[in-house]
mmCIF file of all heavy atoms in Angstrom:
data_model
loop_
_atom_site.group_PDB
_atom_site.id
_atom_site.type_symbol
_atom_site.label_atom_id
_atom_site.label_comp_id
_atom_site.label_asym_id
_atom_site.label_seq_id
_atom_site.Cartn_x
_atom_site.Cartn_y
_atom_site.Cartn_z
ATOM 1 N N LEU A 1 110.107 41.688 19.006
ATOM 2 C CA LEU A 1 111.186 40.939 18.351
ATOM 3 C C LEU A 1 112.550 41.543 18.653
ATOM 4 O O LEU A 1 113.535 40.808 18.810
ATOM 5 C CB LEU A 1 110.944 40.899 16.841
ATOM 6 C CG LEU A 1 109.752 40.062 16.382
ATOM 7 C CD1 LEU A 1 109.545 40.216 14.878
ATOM 8 C CD2 LEU A 1 109.951 38.584 16.740
ATOM 9 N N ALA A 2 112.629 42.861 18.753
ATOM 10 C CA ALA A 2 113.911 43.502 19.074
ATOM 11 C C ALA A 2 114.420 43.018 20.427
ATOM 12 O O ALA A 2 115.600 42.667 20.581
ATOM 13 C CB ALA A 2 113.762 45.019 19.063
ATOM 14 N N GLN A 3 113.532 42.977 21.411
ATOM 15 C CA GLN A 3 113.935 42.511 22.733
ATOM 16 C C GLN A 3 114.267 41.023 22.711
ATOM 17 O O GLN A 3 115.244 40.582 23.327
ATOM 18 C CB GLN A 3 112.819 42.774 23.734
ATOM 19 C CG GLN A 3 112.536 44.247 23.958
ATOM 20 C CD GLN A 3 111.456 44.458 25.001
ATOM 21 O OE1 GLN A 3 111.628 44.132 26.182
ATOM 22 N NE2 GLN A 3 110.326 44.984 24.566
ATOM 23 N N HIS A 4 113.465 40.263 21.997
ATOM 24 C CA HIS A 4 113.705 38.818 21.945
ATOM 25 C C HIS A 4 115.042 38.511 21.294
ATOM 26 O O HIS A 4 115.826 37.690 21.811
ATOM 27 C CB HIS A 4 112.576 38.133 21.166
ATOM 28 C CG HIS A 4 112.775 36.647 21.052
ATOM 29 N ND1 HIS A 4 112.384 35.764 22.031
ATOM 30 C CD2 HIS A 4 113.344 35.899 20.059
ATOM 31 C CE1 HIS A 4 112.701 34.532 21.662
ATOM 32 N NE2 HIS A 4 113.275 34.590 20.462
ATOM 33 N N LEU A 5 115.341 39.154 20.181
ATOM 34 C CA LEU A 5 116.596 38.887 19.475
ATOM 35 C C LEU A 5 117.795 39.333 20.299
ATOM 36 O O LEU A 5 118.841 38.665 20.291
ATOM 37 C CB LEU A 5 116.590 39.595 18.127
ATOM 38 C CG LEU A 5 115.549 39.094 17.122
ATOM 39 C CD1 LEU A 5 115.471 40.031 15.921
ATOM 40 C CD2 LEU A 5 115.861 37.677 16.668
ATOM 41 N N ALA A 6 117.661 40.439 21.010
ATOM 42 C CA ALA A 6 118.761 40.907 21.849
ATOM 43 C C ALA A 6 119.127 39.891 22.914
ATOM 44 O O ALA A 6 120.298 39.733 23.266
ATOM 45 C CB ALA A 6 118.401 42.245 22.495
ATOM 46 N N GLY A 7 118.123 39.185 23.422
ATOM 47 C CA GLY A 7 118.388 38.193 24.457
ATOM 48 C C GLY A 7 118.711 36.808 23.930
ATOM 49 O O GLY A 7 119.378 36.020 24.614
ATOM 50 N N ALA A 8 118.273 36.515 22.706
ATOM 51 C CA ALA A 8 118.403 35.146 22.201
ATOM 52 C C ALA A 8 119.678 34.902 21.405
ATOM 53 O O ALA A 8 120.142 33.765 21.305
ATOM 54 C CB ALA A 8 117.190 34.807 21.327
ATOM 55 N N ILE A 9 120.239 35.935 20.802
ATOM 56 C CA ILE A 9 121.420 35.755 19.949
ATOM 57 C C ILE A 9 122.674 35.980 20.783
ATOM 58 O O ILE A 9 122.861 37.041 21.395
ATOM 59 C CB ILE A 9 121.399 36.735 18.764
ATOM 60 C CG1 ILE A 9 120.177 36.479 17.885
ATOM 61 C CG2 ILE A 9 122.675 36.613 17.936
ATOM 62 C CD1 ILE A 9 119.976 37.503 16.796
ATOM 63 N N THR A 10 123.527 34.982 20.811
ATOM 64 C CA THR A 10 124.803 35.080 21.514
ATOM 65 C C THR A 10 125.892 35.377 20.498
ATOM 66 O O THR A 10 126.240 34.518 19.684
ATOM 67 C CB THR A 10 125.119 33.769 22.247
ATOM 68 O OG1 THR A 10 124.039 33.462 23.148
ATOM 69 C CG2 THR A 10 126.415 33.885 23.031
ATOM 70 N N PRO A 11 126.442 36.595 20.497
ATOM 71 C CA PRO A 11 127.380 36.942 19.429
ATOM 72 C C PRO A 11 128.714 36.231 19.503
ATOM 73 O O PRO A 11 129.391 36.076 18.489
ATOM 74 C CB PRO A 11 127.542 38.460 19.589
ATOM 75 C CG PRO A 11 127.145 38.748 20.989
ATOM 76 C CD PRO A 11 126.126 37.725 21.369
ATOM 77 N N GLY A 12 129.131 35.792 20.692
ATOM 78 C CA GLY A 12 130.415 35.098 20.788
ATOM 79 C C GLY A 12 131.554 35.989 20.340
ATOM 80 O O GLY A 12 131.742 37.097 20.854
ATOM 81 N N ASP A 13 132.324 35.533 19.341
ATOM 82 C CA ASP A 13 133.440 36.326 18.831
ATOM 83 C C ASP A 13 132.976 37.501 17.975
ATOM 84 O O ASP A 13 133.786 38.345 17.583
ATOM 85 C CB ASP A 13 134.387 35.452 17.997
ATOM 86 C CG ASP A 13 135.129 34.448 18.859
ATOM 87 O OD1 ASP A 13 135.267 34.700 20.066
ATOM 88 O OD2 ASP A 13 135.562 33.414 18.329
ATOM 89 N N GLY A 14 131.686 37.536 17.641
ATOM 90 C CA GLY A 14 131.158 38.637 16.856
ATOM 91 C C GLY A 14 130.522 39.689 17.745
ATOM 92 O O GLY A 14 130.688 39.688 18.966
ATOM 93 N N ARG A 15 129.812 40.604 17.123
ATOM 94 C CA ARG A 15 129.098 41.643 17.880
ATOM 95 C C ARG A 15 127.715 41.822 17.274
ATOM 96 O O ARG A 15 127.543 41.757 16.053
ATOM 97 C CB ARG A 15 129.849 42.970 17.857
ATOM 98 C CG ARG A 15 131.110 42.984 18.682
ATOM 99 C CD ARG A 15 131.584 44.409 18.979
ATOM 100 N NE ARG A 15 131.889 45.151 17.788
ATOM 101 C CZ ARG A 15 133.046 45.095 17.147
ATOM 102 N NH1 ARG A 15 133.990 44.291 17.567
ATOM 103 N NH2 ARG A 15 133.257 45.840 16.077
ATOM 104 N N LEU A 16 126.749 42.069 18.151
ATOM 105 C CA LEU A 16 125.360 42.268 17.739
ATOM 106 C C LEU A 16 124.928 43.674 18.102
ATOM 107 O O LEU A 16 125.116 44.123 19.233
ATOM 108 C CB LEU A 16 124.458 41.245 18.438
ATOM 109 C CG LEU A 16 122.945 41.490 18.350
ATOM 110 C CD1 LEU A 16 122.453 41.324 16.918
ATOM 111 C CD2 LEU A 16 122.200 40.554 19.291
ATOM 112 N N CYS A 17 124.356 44.370 17.135
ATOM 113 C CA CYS A 17 123.778 45.690 17.382
ATOM 114 C C CYS A 17 122.318 45.656 16.949
ATOM 115 O O CYS A 17 122.026 45.456 15.766
ATOM 116 C CB CYS A 17 124.538 46.772 16.602
ATOM 117 S SG CYS A 17 123.765 48.408 16.680
ATOM 118 N N ILE A 18 121.410 45.802 17.897
ATOM 119 C CA ILE A 18 120.002 45.990 17.572
ATOM 120 C C ILE A 18 119.861 47.454 17.192
ATOM 121 O O ILE A 18 119.980 48.350 18.036
ATOM 122 C CB ILE A 18 119.080 45.648 18.757
ATOM 123 C CG1 ILE A 18 119.369 44.229 19.262
ATOM 124 C CG2 ILE A 18 117.621 45.794 18.335
ATOM 125 C CD1 ILE A 18 119.064 43.129 18.292
ATOM 126 N N ALA A 19 119.639 47.709 15.925
ATOM 127 C CA ALA A 19 119.776 49.064 15.402
ATOM 128 C C ALA A 19 118.407 49.732 15.244
ATOM 129 O O ALA A 19 117.591 49.702 16.150
ATOM 130 C CB ALA A 19 120.536 49.025 14.077
ATOM 131 N N GLY A 20 118.153 50.319 14.066
ATOM 132 C CA GLY A 20 116.952 51.123 13.888
ATOM 133 C C GLY A 20 115.662 50.322 13.854
ATOM 134 O O GLY A 20 115.604 49.221 13.295
ATOM 135 N N LEU A 21 114.618 50.895 14.440
ATOM 136 C CA LEU A 21 113.269 50.334 14.380
ATOM 137 C C LEU A 21 112.342 51.474 13.982
ATOM 138 O O LEU A 21 112.334 52.529 14.628
ATOM 139 C CB LEU A 21 112.861 49.744 15.729
ATOM 140 C CG LEU A 21 111.589 48.903 15.789
ATOM 141 C CD1 LEU A 21 111.578 48.069 17.074
ATOM 142 C CD2 LEU A 21 110.315 49.715 15.724
ATOM 143 N N HIS A 22 111.556 51.258 12.931
ATOM 144 C CA HIS A 22 110.670 52.323 12.489
ATOM 145 C C HIS A 22 109.337 51.749 12.019
ATOM 146 O O HIS A 22 109.290 50.773 11.277
ATOM 147 C CB HIS A 22 111.288 53.114 11.337
ATOM 148 C CG HIS A 22 110.379 54.191 10.822
ATOM 149 N ND1 HIS A 22 110.143 55.359 11.523
ATOM 150 C CD2 HIS A 22 109.618 54.258 9.697
ATOM 151 C CE1 HIS A 22 109.294 56.099 10.848
ATOM 152 N NE2 HIS A 22 108.957 55.469 9.736
ATOM 153 N N THR A 23 108.267 52.389 12.487
ATOM 154 C CA THR A 23 106.940 52.085 11.961
ATOM 155 C C THR A 23 106.248 53.369 11.509
ATOM 156 O O THR A 23 105.720 53.429 10.399
ATOM 157 C CB THR A 23 106.067 51.370 13.007
ATOM 158 O OG1 THR A 23 106.034 52.151 14.214
ATOM 159 C CG2 THR A 23 106.624 49.984 13.309
ATOM 160 N N GLY A 24 106.252 54.410 12.325
ATOM 161 C CA GLY A 24 105.601 55.652 11.939
ATOM 162 C C GLY A 24 105.772 56.723 12.977
ATOM 163 O O GLY A 24 106.347 56.485 14.042
ATOM 164 N N HIS A 25 105.262 57.917 12.657
ATOM 165 C CA HIS A 25 105.460 59.069 13.525
ATOM 166 C C HIS A 25 104.168 59.573 14.181
ATOM 167 O O HIS A 25 104.221 60.398 15.094
ATOM 168 C CB HIS A 25 106.069 60.229 12.719
ATOM 169 C CG HIS A 25 107.417 59.937 12.157
ATOM 170 N ND1 HIS A 25 108.543 59.823 12.940
ATOM 171 C CD2 HIS A 25 107.829 59.721 10.878
ATOM 172 C CE1 HIS A 25 109.597 59.569 12.184
ATOM 173 N NE2 HIS A 25 109.187 59.491 10.923
ATOM 174 N N LEU A 26 103.014 59.133 13.717
ATOM 175 C CA LEU A 26 101.758 59.718 14.180
ATOM 176 C C LEU A 26 101.162 58.925 15.342
ATOM 177 O O LEU A 26 101.433 57.738 15.527
ATOM 178 C CB LEU A 26 100.766 59.780 13.018
ATOM 179 C CG LEU A 26 101.228 60.613 11.812
ATOM 180 C CD1 LEU A 26 100.198 60.561 10.702
ATOM 181 C CD2 LEU A 26 101.485 62.070 12.229
ATOM 182 N N HIS A 27 100.304 59.601 16.088
ATOM 183 C CA HIS A 27 99.713 59.004 17.291
ATOM 184 C C HIS A 27 98.336 58.412 17.032
ATOM 185 O O HIS A 27 97.824 57.657 17.865
ATOM 186 C CB HIS A 27 99.570 60.074 18.386
ATOM 187 C CG HIS A 27 98.555 61.113 18.058
ATOM 188 N ND1 HIS A 27 98.807 62.136 17.158
ATOM 189 C CD2 HIS A 27 97.266 61.294 18.481
ATOM 190 C CE1 HIS A 27 97.734 62.898 17.063
ATOM 191 N NE2 HIS A 27 96.775 62.418 17.851
ATOM 192 N N ASN A 28 97.718 58.743 15.908
ATOM 193 C CA ASN A 28 96.302 58.415 15.721
ATOM 194 C C ASN A 28 96.075 57.291 14.728
ATOM 195 O O ASN A 28 95.094 57.290 13.997
ATOM 196 C CB ASN A 28 95.531 59.662 15.285
ATOM 197 C CG ASN A 28 96.062 60.239 13.978
ATOM 198 O OD1 ASN A 28 97.100 59.801 13.487
ATOM 199 N ND2 ASN A 28 95.341 61.213 13.419
ATOM 200 N N ARG A 29 96.992 56.335 14.688
ATOM 201 C CA ARG A 29 96.808 55.173 13.826
ATOM 202 C C ARG A 29 97.665 54.030 14.322
ATOM 203 O O ARG A 29 98.617 54.205 15.072
ATOM 204 C CB ARG A 29 97.166 55.523 12.379
ATOM 205 C CG ARG A 29 98.620 55.892 12.184
ATOM 206 C CD ARG A 29 98.920 56.384 10.775
ATOM 207 N NE ARG A 29 98.778 55.306 9.796
ATOM 208 C CZ ARG A 29 99.072 55.463 8.508
ATOM 209 N NH1 ARG A 29 99.471 56.642 8.047
ATOM 210 N NH2 ARG A 29 98.944 54.467 7.673
ATOM 211 N N VAL A 30 97.304 52.854 13.893
ATOM 212 C CA VAL A 30 98.109 51.656 14.123
ATOM 213 C C VAL A 30 98.856 51.368 12.829
ATOM 214 O O VAL A 30 98.233 51.261 11.763
ATOM 215 C CB VAL A 30 97.225 50.450 14.514
ATOM 216 C CG1 VAL A 30 98.040 49.166 14.506
ATOM 217 C CG2 VAL A 30 96.600 50.685 15.879
ATOM 218 N N TYR A 31 100.154 51.243 12.926
ATOM 219 C CA TYR A 31 100.967 50.995 11.739
ATOM 220 C C TYR A 31 101.139 49.493 11.525
ATOM 221 O O TYR A 31 101.639 48.776 12.398
ATOM 222 C CB TYR A 31 102.336 51.655 11.882
ATOM 223 C CG TYR A 31 102.277 53.159 11.828
ATOM 224 C CD1 TYR A 31 102.212 53.917 13.005
ATOM 225 C CD2 TYR A 31 102.261 53.830 10.607
ATOM 226 C CE1 TYR A 31 102.149 55.293 12.956
ATOM 227 C CE2 TYR A 31 102.196 55.217 10.550
ATOM 228 C CZ TYR A 31 102.142 55.934 11.725
ATOM 229 O OH TYR A 31 102.062 57.312 11.677
ATOM 230 N N GLY A 32 100.752 49.052 10.354
ATOM 231 C CA GLY A 32 100.889 47.629 10.026
ATOM 232 C C GLY A 32 102.207 47.289 9.359
ATOM 233 O O GLY A 32 102.560 46.122 9.239
ATOM 234 N N ARG A 33 102.934 48.315 8.920
ATOM 235 C CA ARG A 33 104.206 48.083 8.241
ATOM 236 C C ARG A 33 105.338 48.742 9.020
ATOM 237 O O ARG A 33 105.167 49.796 9.623
ATOM 238 C CB ARG A 33 104.174 48.655 6.815
ATOM 239 C CG ARG A 33 103.161 47.989 5.909
ATOM 240 C CD ARG A 33 103.087 48.683 4.552
ATOM 241 N NE ARG A 33 102.147 48.027 3.661
ATOM 242 C CZ ARG A 33 100.834 48.234 3.667
ATOM 243 N NH1 ARG A 33 100.322 49.091 4.530
ATOM 244 N NH2 ARG A 33 100.044 47.585 2.831
ATOM 245 N N GLY A 34 106.487 48.112 8.962
ATOM 246 C CA GLY A 34 107.658 48.675 9.636
ATOM 247 C C GLY A 34 108.872 47.805 9.398
ATOM 248 O O GLY A 34 108.803 46.764 8.728
ATOM 249 N N GLU A 35 110.006 48.253 9.938
ATOM 250 C CA GLU A 35 111.231 47.481 9.785
ATOM 251 C C GLU A 35 112.107 47.609 11.015
ATOM 252 O O GLU A 35 112.086 48.623 11.720
ATOM 253 C CB GLU A 35 112.009 47.891 8.536
ATOM 254 C CG GLU A 35 112.699 49.237 8.602
ATOM 255 C CD GLU A 35 113.620 49.478 7.414
ATOM 256 O OE1 GLU A 35 113.408 48.872 6.349
ATOM 257 O OE2 GLU A 35 114.555 50.291 7.562
ATOM 258 N N LEU A 36 112.860 46.543 11.244
ATOM 259 C CA LEU A 36 113.829 46.465 12.329
ATOM 260 C C LEU A 36 115.157 46.046 11.715
ATOM 261 O O LEU A 36 115.207 45.096 10.924
ATOM 262 C CB LEU A 36 113.367 45.438 13.377
ATOM 263 C CG LEU A 36 114.387 44.995 14.423
ATOM 264 C CD1 LEU A 36 114.745 46.164 15.343
ATOM 265 C CD2 LEU A 36 113.842 43.818 15.226
ATOM 266 N N LEU A 37 116.230 46.740 12.081
ATOM 267 C CA LEU A 37 117.553 46.441 11.533
ATOM 268 C C LEU A 37 118.466 45.872 12.606
ATOM 269 O O LEU A 37 118.472 46.339 13.753
ATOM 270 C CB LEU A 37 118.192 47.702 10.933
ATOM 271 C CG LEU A 37 117.441 48.360 9.779
ATOM 272 C CD1 LEU A 37 118.142 49.650 9.374
ATOM 273 C CD2 LEU A 37 117.336 47.413 8.591
ATOM 274 N N LEU A 38 119.249 44.901 12.218
ATOM 275 C CA LEU A 38 120.276 44.324 13.077
ATOM 276 C C LEU A 38 121.603 44.375 12.326
ATOM 277 O O LEU A 38 121.652 44.040 11.140
ATOM 278 C CB LEU A 38 119.988 42.853 13.422
ATOM 279 C CG LEU A 38 118.916 42.502 14.446
ATOM 280 C CD1 LEU A 38 117.529 42.795 13.917
ATOM 281 C CD2 LEU A 38 119.035 41.032 14.819
ATOM 282 N N ASN A 39 122.650 44.792 13.000
ATOM 283 C CA ASN A 39 123.977 44.754 12.405
ATOM 284 C C ASN A 39 124.827 43.769 13.181
ATOM 285 O O ASN A 39 124.861 43.802 14.416
ATOM 286 C CB ASN A 39 124.631 46.136 12.405
ATOM 287 C CG ASN A 39 125.616 46.296 11.268
ATOM 288 O OD1 ASN A 39 125.283 46.064 10.115
ATOM 289 N ND2 ASN A 39 126.831 46.694 11.582
ATOM 290 N N LEU A 40 125.512 42.898 12.469
ATOM 291 C CA LEU A 40 126.299 41.843 13.103
ATOM 292 C C LEU A 40 127.712 41.876 12.536
ATOM 293 O O LEU A 40 127.907 41.721 11.327
ATOM 294 C CB LEU A 40 125.668 40.473 12.860
ATOM 295 C CG LEU A 40 124.218 40.340 13.345
ATOM 296 C CD1 LEU A 40 123.275 40.276 12.151
ATOM 297 C CD2 LEU A 40 124.048 39.116 14.221
ATOM 298 N N ALA A 41 128.682 42.101 13.406
ATOM 299 C CA ALA A 41 130.083 42.094 12.993
ATOM 300 C C ALA A 41 130.678 40.731 13.304
ATOM 301 O O ALA A 41 130.316 40.084 14.297
ATOM 302 C CB ALA A 41 130.860 43.183 13.716
ATOM 303 N N TYR A 42 131.609 40.294 12.458
ATOM 304 C CA TYR A 42 132.195 38.961 12.631
ATOM 305 C C TYR A 42 133.668 38.985 12.233
ATOM 306 O O TYR A 42 134.068 39.696 11.316
ATOM 307 C CB TYR A 42 131.433 37.931 11.795
ATOM 308 C CG TYR A 42 131.258 38.305 10.344
ATOM 309 C CD1 TYR A 42 132.189 37.933 9.378
ATOM 310 C CD2 TYR A 42 130.152 39.050 9.924
ATOM 311 C CE1 TYR A 42 132.024 38.284 8.042
ATOM 312 C CE2 TYR A 42 129.981 39.417 8.588
ATOM 313 C CZ TYR A 42 130.927 39.025 7.660
ATOM 314 O OH TYR A 42 130.769 39.378 6.343
ATOM 315 N N PRO A 43 134.503 38.194 12.943
ATOM 316 C CA PRO A 43 135.937 38.184 12.655
ATOM 317 C C PRO A 43 136.349 37.171 11.597
ATOM 318 O O PRO A 43 137.491 37.193 11.144
ATOM 319 C CB PRO A 43 136.564 37.838 14.009
ATOM 320 C CG PRO A 43 135.538 36.943 14.643
ATOM 321 C CD PRO A 43 134.195 37.465 14.183
#
């Protein structure tokens, strides 16, 4: 979704920042929960 949103949203007069993405730190599990942040500036 981070890659898709970066390519699909045209900020125009605004600005788009694909920011933090976090699910987990360990190697021996699949994380079912996580979050992705987007910051959008507008004039």
Side-chain angles (χ1 to χ4, degrees):
L1 291 175
Q3 295 182 65
H4 179 85
L5 295 170
I9 298 173
T10 303
D13 291 336
R15 289 198 299 276
L16 168 67
C17 173
I18 306 295
L21 190 163
H22 178 74
T23 54
H25 297 290
L26 300 178
H27 68 283
N28 60 351
R29 64 186 292 185
V30 170
Y31 290 95
R33 296 175 178 83
E35 72 171 24
L36 167 67
L37 299 175
L38 284 70
N39 208 53
L40 303 109
Y42 51 91

